[in-house]
Amino acid sequence: MKRKRILFACGISILLIGGGCSNIDMGTKSESQKTDTKQDESNRPKDMYESVLTYTGDGYDLPGGEENEEIAKEHKDEVIKATKDYLKKEYNTDVEVHNIAGNQDGVTVFYESVGNIHFYSTAIVPIDTQNKKILTDQVWTLEGRVETAIKGALYAYIMDNEFEVLDDLLESIGKNNHIVGRLEESLENTGGNGYMTPYYFVVVRDDEAMTPVYNLYMKKPSASRQELAAEYLPSKFDSEKIGFSVQFFMKDQKSKPDKNVLDLIVNEIKRNDGVPKGHYEVRLHDNYVIKSKSEGFKDHSLERAYPDEIIKN
């Protein structure tokens, strides 16, 4: 039986993302929670910040996890096997483990699915700290986290043409406007937000249109794209249940986020009817990542988000 913990999310139907009770949230912060720090070079300690151009997850940290992380490293093979066994048993999914980070109760494991249905997520492997024992039979995940990740990956899989349009659009915007996304290594080592690319991630939660697709995948992980797509119910589609978090960083290390560039990204997504349906939130940061949190949010980050997100029906 699955052992889970509930992930609270402002009492709305899908996870949140920056902006209080907005519509998407996977490891992001609201306006009031953004790091309040001056952004000139003299106030950017190298042990706290790293350019997004080089950041791969080194320095990522969870509170109170130092001792458990050392124990986990000594028993790395056990941690990896326990994670893989759990995901295979509970979700019919093979995974590759990329990183482990100690937490108060054990270790958080960052992994990537293997196969056509591609997503990043996390699991928690508890540790008996006193006896330095890996509790391999007590692996658990946050309530809904893996399910949400799988649904987002399935949406990308069955809507591959639309996602290709979005990928090409964002890549073109980046190249032409001196902005960049994250390195793939940082997604592998600290991402865990489901279907992710260097420029965005997707959250699909409590969506009736995708439920039959998910149910078929759980019964038959080898189902073809055509079989899965046939289960999709477009009449049940609700843009509020499928969210895209688009995030860019300034390419130049001395540049602050540019409002004109943010507006351009928003307008390009608005005018393009070929991108996947859902609601979009867009954020633009300076060039730096807060290493310990693996996030770009700071006091001068710019955003177009709830309640003014972009709706694509």
Side-chain angles (χ1 to χ4, degrees):
M1 180 178 293
K2 300 176 188 177
R3 298 182 67 249
K4 298 183 179 181
R5 306 295 195 273
I6 295 174
L7 181 62
F8 293 98
C10 291
I12 60 175
S13 59
I14 61 177
L15 297 177
L16 313 175
I17 189 170
C21 281
S22 136
N23 285 339
I24 320 168
D25 179 7
M26 284 281 200
T28 55
K29 288 188 175 291
S30 69
E31 190 74 28
S32 63
Q33 293 173 308
K34 291 175 186 176
T35 301
D36 183 16
T37 182
K38 295 181 180 179
Q39 293 305 305
D40 57 81
E41 292 292 336
S42 62
N43 284 284
R44 192 183 289 117
K46 292 183 178 180
D47 62 337
M48 292 178 59
Y49 297 91
E50 184 175 343
S51 169
V52 70
L53 299 172
T54 60
Y55 180 74
T56 61
D58 191 33
Y60 181 78
D61 183 41
L62 293 172
E66 294 82 2
E67 184 175 359
N68 281 332
E69 185 164 323
E70 289 303 314
I71 296 171
K73 287 179 178 178
E74 294 174 3
H75 300 273
K76 185 176 180 180
D77 290 343
E78 285 183 64
V79 171
I80 292 176
K81 185 177 186 304
T83 302
K84 288 185 173 182
D85 289 349
Y86 175 83
L87 271 297
K88 185 66 173 179
K89 177 182 178 182
E90 301 294 349
Y91 296 100
N92 287 327
T93 299
D94 294 313
V95 302
E96 178 183 358
V97 171
H98 289 296
N99 190 25
I100 56 176
N103 60 53
Q104 294 183 76
D105 300 316
V107 62
T108 299
V109 181
F110 293 84
Y111 58 84
E112 176 182 5
S113 64
V114 177
N116 293 328
I117 310 305
H118 183 259
F119 63 90
Y120 300 96
S121 194
T122 59
I124 291 84
V125 180
I127 293 176
D128 178 347
T129 307
Q130 184 174 357
N131 295 306
K132 297 186 177 182
K133 181 180 179 182
I134 309 299
L135 304 180
T136 57
D137 61 339
Q138 297 182 33
V139 180
W140 59 277
T141 58
L142 289 171
E143 181 69 38
R145 189 173 189 89
V146 181
E147 292 88 343
T148 297
I150 293 174
K151 287 178 182 178
L154 286 167
Y155 188 53
Y157 188 56
I158 66 173
M159 301 292 177
D160 58 318
N161 291 332
E162 291 85 348
F163 273 77
E164 184 176 354
V165 171
L166 179 61
D167 292 340
D168 290 345
L169 175 65
L170 296 181
E171 184 176 352
S172 176
I173 291 173
K175 286 182 178 179
N176 293 325
N177 293 278
H178 304 289
I179 53 178
V180 296
R182 301 184 63 133
L183 294 179
E184 186 173 341
E185 291 91 336
S186 75
L187 304 184
E188 294 173 346
N189 293 325
T190 65
N193 286 342
Y195 183 82
M196 304 181 72
T197 78
Y199 305 113
Y200 66 91
F201 64 83
V202 185
V203 173
V204 179
R205 190 174 177 93
D206 299 330
D207 179 65
E208 293 183 41
M210 284 297 301
T211 297
V213 184
Y214 175 80
N215 290 340
L216 174 59
Y217 174 76
M218 293 304 294
K219 293 177 182 177
K220 185 182 177 184
S222 61
S224 68
R225 193 192 311 268
Q226 291 74 21
E227 290 175 303
L228 292 165
E231 295 297 308
Y232 181 69
L233 301 176
S235 63
K236 300 289 187 179
F237 171 79
D238 181 351
S239 63
E240 290 300 313
K241 303 295 180 67
I242 298 180
F244 291 77
S245 174
V246 178
Q247 300 201 41
F248 277 100
F249 294 76
M250 301 302 292
K251 187 175 183 179
D252 181 67
Q253 295 185 19
K254 295 182 179 180
S255 296
K256 291 184 178 180
D258 186 333
K259 177 68 162 53
N260 291 328
V261 174
L262 178 74
D263 291 342
L264 182 146
I265 300 168
V266 169
N267 290 331
E268 287 295 305
I269 294 173
K270 273 186 172 183
R271 73 170 185 79
N272 197 312
D273 293 330
V275 300
K277 294 180 179 180
H279 68 272
Y280 289 72
E281 298 187 349
V282 181
R283 290 173 174 82
L284 180 61
H285 312 295
D286 65 16
N287 181 261
Y288 288 86
V289 175
I290 302 170
K291 296 170 66 174
S292 63
K293 301 178 181 179
S294 186
E295 65 181 33
F297 287 94
K298 308 172 197 73
D299 59 340
H300 59 201
S301 291
L302 302 175
E303 65 181 4
R304 173 70 177 269
Y306 179 86
D308 194 27
E309 67 269 47
I310 306 162
I311 305 297
K312 306 293 288 187
N313 287 314

